[in-house]
Amino acid sequence: LERRHRSLILGLRAGSRAAARATAGARYGLFVAPDDGMGALVDALAQRLPAGVVRLRAPVDGLARDGAGWRLRAGGEALAADALVLATPAHTAATLLAPLDAPLAQLLAGIDYASSATVTLGYRAADLPPEALRGFGFVVPAAEGRPLLACTYASRKFPHRAPAGHELLRGFVGGALRPDLPALDDVTLIRTVRGELRALLGIDATPELTRVHRYPRAMPQYAVGHLARVAAIDARVAAFPGLALAGGAYRGVGLPDCVRSGEAAADAVAPPR
């Protein structure tokens, strides 16, 4: 950088300008999602499985060792399994494993979760202030003390998320710092997010569409010492042949992290080939 631009600072500035030019105004390659929503990924996976192996709305309410395998109660039905992958939130895995290993359950229960809610608002583009939606959205620093965590311009990030002449915005509230907000009623949440968009973006129009979705205890929190906790969990799980844990509670909450976690869990319990 120094040889090319005469100084490190000038080189870094040039690099940042080049990166900005490469991404300005484009969704190309920055954001990807199935056209029909994330549920399409689940549907595609289910179609590749043999018929009848997926049981919907059959919560597991108990499990036990059965020789070298496992015995489960799921949806009122008794099931036998050679191996078991628990891809549940850590607190659910803690409840299921408590009768088998209380210290393991305690470690799992110690992973805290935060709740959140999204408020989706659809507007006519003509009703929005000019240049109100620049980029793909914004994140609000905690130091601002505002109820809004972030806002994404869904119709700018992904094509076909809103009909022509309309814009779709999604506000996020709650999280670890404001656990009270997701419990508010829909009317209050919508009013709160609209007030934030009015203050931050100058949007005073009445939305043509409003939707509220809540995600109770959905976001695992990686506190200081989390990796040491996960190592201790792994050590105790290793004492149970044919048992593995997967999901966002352990080594990453993003979709690629969860896919990697599931693959690792499958490899851990699959019989040698």
Side-chain angles (χ1 to χ4, degrees):
L1 285 175
E2 191 172 25
R3 283 195 300 269
R4 187 176 301 167
H5 300 281
R6 293 184 293 118
S7 80
L8 289 176
I9 292 177
L10 290 174
L12 290 172
R13 284 178 177 172
S16 65
R17 286 195 296 269
R21 286 194 299 271
T23 59
R27 58 174 66 94
Y28 316 110
L30 288 177
F31 306 101
V32 292
D35 286 341
D36 297 328
M38 292 307 301
L41 177 62
V42 178
D43 294 339
L45 290 170
Q47 289 172 6
R48 298 186 62 175
L49 295 172
V53 302
V54 177
R55 290 168 171 80
L56 301 177
R57 291 174 290 279
V60 176
D61 56 18
L63 58 87
R65 291 290 282 170
D66 185 13
W70 298 87
R71 196 171 62 254
L72 297 86
R73 291 193 313 274
E77 181 182 1
L79 300 172
D82 297 322
L84 182 63
V85 175
L86 293 181
T88 67
H91 48 82
T92 303
T95 300
L96 292 172
L97 293 172
L100 299 178
D101 188 331
L104 172 59
Q106 187 174 9
L107 287 166
L108 290 165
I111 298 176
D112 195 18
Y113 278 72
S115 301
S116 66
T118 61
V119 177
T120 301
L121 305 171
Y123 294 93
R124 288 198 321 138
D127 293 338
L128 302 181
E131 301 297 319
L133 307 185
R134 287 186 255 181
F136 302 113
F138 60 90
V139 175
V140 181
E144 295 289 330
R146 308 194 73 96
L148 189 67
L149 288 173
C151 180
T152 183
Y153 309 153
S155 52
R156 298 294 178 97
K157 289 175 68 174
F158 304 110
H160 316 306
R161 285 296 191 264
H166 292 75
E167 298 284 2
L168 192 69
L169 282 67
R170 182 168 293 124
F172 298 81
V173 299
L177 299 180
R178 293 297 306 269
D180 56 307
L181 291 177
L184 297 176
D185 62 87
D186 288 6
V187 172
T188 302
L189 280 176
I190 293 169
R191 184 171 62 243
T192 298
V193 171
R194 287 189 62 193
E196 290 293 284
L197 298 184
R198 184 183 305 111
L200 298 173
L201 299 178
I203 296 176
D204 200 27
T206 300
E208 294 192 339
L209 174 143
T210 59
R211 296 284 189 275
V212 176
H213 294 89
R214 293 175 178 80
Y215 305 91
R217 298 186 75 184
M219 301 187 299
Q221 305 296 296
Y222 292 0
V224 174
H226 177 76
L227 291 180
R229 177 182 295 274
V230 170
I233 289 171
D234 288 344
R236 299 203 72 88
V237 168
F240 295 94
L243 174 65
L245 303 178
Y250 309 108
R251 292 182 174 86
V253 300
L255 183 60
D257 301 308
C258 292
V259 170
R260 190 180 307 114
S261 172
E263 291 175 340
D267 289 341
V269 300
R273 294 181 180 179

